[in-house]
Amino acid sequence: KAGVTQTPRYLIKTRGQQVTLSCSPISGHRSVSWYQQTPGQGLQFLFEYFSETQRNKGNFPGRFSGRQFSNSRSEMNVSTLELGDSALYLCASSLAGQGSSYTFGSGTRLTVV
Amino acid sequence: AQSVAQPEDQVNVAEGNPLTVKCTYSVSGNPYLFWYVQYPNRGLQFLLKYITGDNLVKGSYGFEAEFNKSQTSFHLKKPSALVSDSALYFCAVRDAWGRGGQNFVFGPGTRLSVLP
């Protein structure tokens, strides 16, 4: 059974550019969540999608957006990149239900220069 | 709002000794509690969870955790540590009814170093 796949693994962008990250969940998982991980702030919740609808959103500026497709694959987009956006971006998928655990991808390491 | 505290940034233990990584939580309703482990340059891996039932939960790689409702704690334990257990450990909580959102709230993480 394939795990959660995130592409690309590494990315270097320049300030002001935009970036799109991709996440393919485990087959059958309809919930996809995104987290930003930095040494200073730890794991911060970005948003969750379920059946193509954003179900919950964290406290990030509007430059951070996402979407989910009918096959449950998800993308997140960051526009007008800032140096502080450098982080490991983690995608996690799960079955529906509060008792379900996440399965995480290996993440996309974004560096903004 | 949910929150998780992991009071120790770093835990050092000798190989073969028991280990404990501490976690306390705050949630308005009933908690669903989870432990995850992260190895360098990787995503988080699920270790175990408490949903309901027996307060002692057993998980992967010989880890277990004890849910204590009165102390709002969910400490991770292992009877005999291995060098390969060295990693970053995260405790996470979710409200059972989704109050405060569907998402997990993670603690800041505890770095476990097992010394040979």
Side-chain angles (χ1 to χ4, degrees):
Chain A
K1 187 174 178 182
V4 177
T5 303
Q6 289 189 247
T7 56
R9 283 296 312 272
Y10 301 93
L11 207 49
I12 300 175
K13 289 287 189 179
T14 304
R15 247 184 323 176
Q17 286 187 312
Q18 77 165 21
V19 67
T20 299
L21 311 181
S22 179
C23 172
S24 294
I26 287 177
S27 178
H29 285 191
R30 292 163 64 192
S31 172
V32 174
S33 298
W34 289 88
Y35 284 80
Q36 181 196 65
Q37 185 178 21
T38 58
Q41 299 296 320
L43 281 158
Q44 292 193 287
F45 172 71
L46 281 156
F47 23 67
E48 183 199 8
Y49 287 88
F50 182 81
S51 294
E52 300 179 68
T53 300
Q54 188 180 86
R55 193 158 66 169
N56 200 13
K57 190 177 189 303
N59 294 322
F60 278 81
R63 301 185 296 106
F64 291 81
S65 63
R67 59 179 176 168
Q68 187 180 33
F69 302 95
S70 58
N71 61 358
S72 294
R73 190 177 71 85
S74 178
E75 288 181 348
M76 67 163 281
N77 184 277
V78 188
S79 62
T80 319
L81 284 165
E82 300 176 359
L83 296 179
D85 297 332
S86 295
L88 181 66
Y89 290 87
L90 292 166
C91 167
S93 73
S94 70
L95 296 168
Q98 291 296 96
S100 299
S101 61
Y102 280 162
T103 300
F104 282 85
S106 294
T108 294
R109 171 77 60 187
L110 172 65
T111 302
V112 182
V113 298
Chain B
Q2 292 119 235
S3 67
V4 176
Q6 293 180 242
E8 299 154 321
D9 292 337
Q10 173 95 30
V11 170
N12 297 321
V13 64
E15 188 174 30
N17 282 3
L19 70 87
T20 298
V21 182
K22 295 180 181 177
C23 169
T24 59
Y25 66 90
S26 173
V27 67
S28 46
N30 289 325
Y32 287 165
L33 293 154
F34 299 75
W35 276 101
Y36 289 85
V37 60
Q38 186 178 33
Y39 296 99
N41 296 315
R42 300 300 303 272
L44 280 67
Q45 295 178 30
F46 170 73
L47 279 178
L48 49 79
K49 66 180 179 182
Y50 171 81
I51 303 299
T52 187
D54 193 349
N55 288 345
L56 184 63
V57 178
K58 294 188 184 296
S60 307
Y61 313 118
F63 285 94
E64 58 188 30
E66 185 161 16
F67 170 62
N68 187 316
K69 187 172 183 177
S70 63
Q71 296 185 3
T72 60
S73 68
F74 190 56
H75 301 332
L76 181 70
K77 299 182 180 184
K78 187 174 182 181
S80 179
L82 300 172
V83 172
S84 57
D85 293 330
S86 298
L88 189 55
Y89 290 80
F90 291 94
C91 181
V93 69
R94 232 178 188 175
D95 181 278
W97 294 102
R99 285 169 290 202
Q102 309 282 349
N103 57 288
F104 285 95
V105 171
F106 285 86
T110 297
R111 188 163 300 282
L112 173 67
S113 291
V114 181
L115 309 172

